[in-house]
Amino acid sequence: MRLLVARCEVRYTGRLTATLPEAVRLLVLKSDGSVLVHDDTGGYKPLNWMTPPTVVEEAEGAIVVRKRAGKTEDRLEIRIVDVLSDVTHDMGESAALQKDGVERDLQAELAAQPHALGETLSLVRREWPTDIGPVDLMCRDESGGWVAVEVKRIATIDAVEQLSRYLERIDGECRGVLAAQAVKPQARTLAEARGIRCVEVDLAVLRGEREPDLTLFAG
């Protein structure tokens, strides 16, 4: 992985045109062809990025990243004004994210019982790959539509953002479901605003260790 800190100007052309004016930024160039442009604000999300497969061309004072997008080409043109740091690290073999016990067990139970998500779903694959990480469960609904399911112990705003990024990377129509033992109110509000359905599930009930709570209605 190459980490380049430089004063630069960045211009993206493709589905739209966007320019980042000259400033000091961190450029991350990964061995898989990913290129990310960060500054020192805005949290973890890059200002701009290109996902593999890409072609990276470097000349004096410039880095150009190209990617085919159907019949067109996306381009990220980085004009380097001043290099402050340029280091490359061998990151070794990639190690998959290890979920804690509850999340791992929830994922396994929901893979076996996708109907527990409140609709008729059929599992296509666990750990469906995307260029930014695997979707926990990829399913199809009764009409054949794709449904991406992210499983958490406690669903927070970060979980909604994570699932949103997965949905952006999946080709074609795909809706999202966020499943957790508990969903934070702010996360539910954000999810609903983005068309993501939230489902609270109980691991003990899924395992058959106890009966689901019954709701009594006065009539």
Side-chain angles (χ1 to χ4, degrees), residues 87-175:
V87 294
T88 300
H89 299 278
D90 183 355
M91 305 294 287
E93 292 295 323
S94 177
L97 175 68
Q98 297 295 316
K99 290 180 174 288
D100 67 30
V102 172
E103 288 187 17
R104 183 175 60 249
D105 293 345
L106 273 175
Q107 184 186 125
E109 292 294 339
L110 289 172
Q113 309 174 62
H115 61 272
L117 293 168
E119 59 179 303
T120 302
L121 297 175
S122 58
L123 178 70
V124 176
R125 177 174 173 174
R126 293 178 63 179
E127 304 293 337
W128 179 281
T130 77
D131 57 1
I132 58 171
V135 176
D136 288 336
L137 306 174
M138 185 63 80
C139 303
R140 284 190 182 274
D141 60 21
E142 284 186 294
S143 63
W146 290 101
V147 182
V149 182
E150 182 65 21
V151 181
K152 297 293 183 186
R153 182 173 64 86
I154 299 176
T156 63
I157 287 177
D158 285 346
V160 179
E161 294 287 2
Q162 180 181 356
L163 180 52
S164 297
R165 292 196 301 276
Y166 288 152
L167 293 172
E168 289 174 356
R169 299 304 199 279
I170 297 170
D171 293 333
E173 291 293 325
C174 182
R175 57 189 176 90

